[in-house]
Amino acid sequence: MKTTYLKPWFALVCFTMIICSASCSSSDDSESQVEQEQQVDATLSTQVLNALNDHRSSIEKSALITNDYATTLANKHSLYMAAEGKLSYDNLEERASLLIKAENPSKIAESVASKYKTADEVLEAMLNHSGNKNNIEADFTHIGIGANKSDAGVYYYSFIFLKK
């Protein structure tokens, strides 16, 4: 008799463990996917920086050095644009104020871009826009780059240039 009562409980315990296992596995997969996307975004940012510096070298300008704080601000702004689904300079004054307090640059500029999937596409588009081209070719010394993909799969880029 006892074994007949244990079988339904045993089946329930097994079913619960399978459900929990599947749910944990799904969560791990989602976290893994997010980590992979962040890695791709970081790689893309590095490729864009290399493309910008290659262009600057071709016109005899010094290479831009990555600034960690500017990169953090640029990344946050790119995430914001990706969430909003549009290019913007929203909260530019706040980013500039934070950067001035933290880094004390003598000059700051910002550029934004979207939709481009490769570093070469981003660079070409920016060089075809006079304001962005001026920022790329100016006497800035440091840069922060954020590249993030929206849920719709569209990349948004934010570039914060500074001279120290």
Side-chain angles (χ1 to χ4, degrees):
M1 276 301 251
K2 287 185 180 180
T3 55
T4 58
Y5 289 114
L6 291 177
K7 287 181 182 176
W9 286 104
F10 182 72
L12 180 62
V13 169
C14 287
F15 178 73
T16 303
M17 289 176 64
I18 291 169
I19 294 298
C20 288
S21 173
S23 126
C24 291
S25 173
S26 173
S27 174
D28 291 344
D29 290 347
S30 294
E31 288 175 17
S32 176
Q33 183 178 0
V34 168
E35 289 173 6
Q36 288 174 349
E37 287 177 1
Q38 289 174 341
Q39 183 64 35
V40 168
D41 296 345
T43 300
L44 184 55
S45 294
T46 300
Q47 291 170 348
V48 170
L49 176 62
N50 291 339
L52 290 172
N53 280 334
D54 287 347
H55 173 75
R56 286 176 59 91
S57 176
S58 75
I59 59 169
E60 299 182 7
K61 294 281 185 178
S62 62
L64 295 168
I65 301 165
T66 300
N67 178 279
D68 290 338
Y69 191 60
T71 297
T72 298
L73 294 174
N75 193 50
K76 285 181 182 179
H77 187 59
S78 293
L79 285 168
Y80 170 81
M81 290 189 298
E84 294 291 313
K86 64 177 183 151
L87 286 177
S88 79
Y89 290 98
D90 293 353
N91 307 310
L92 174 60
E93 295 82 15
E94 180 183 343
R95 284 189 298 285
S97 176
L98 291 169
L99 197 55
I100 289 167
K101 286 179 187 174
E103 299 294 332
N104 195 30
S106 62
K107 185 174 165 181
I108 299 173
E110 182 176 79
S111 292
V112 295
S114 71
K115 301 179 182 164
Y116 307 104
K117 295 180 182 178
T118 69
D120 290 336
E121 289 175 352
V122 174
L123 179 62
E124 182 180 346
M126 291 181 73
L127 291 174
N128 287 325
H129 181 275
S130 63
N132 292 333
K133 183 177 181 178
N134 288 341
N135 289 342
I136 292 169
E137 296 179 351
D139 61 346
F140 292 108
T141 57
H142 293 75
I143 191 169
I145 300 173
N148 289 283
K149 194 186 319 182
S150 71
D151 290 340
V154 177
Y155 275 100
Y156 288 85
Y157 302 88
S158 181
F159 303 86
I160 300 176
F161 299 88
L162 56 149
K163 181 177 181 179
K164 290 185 92 176

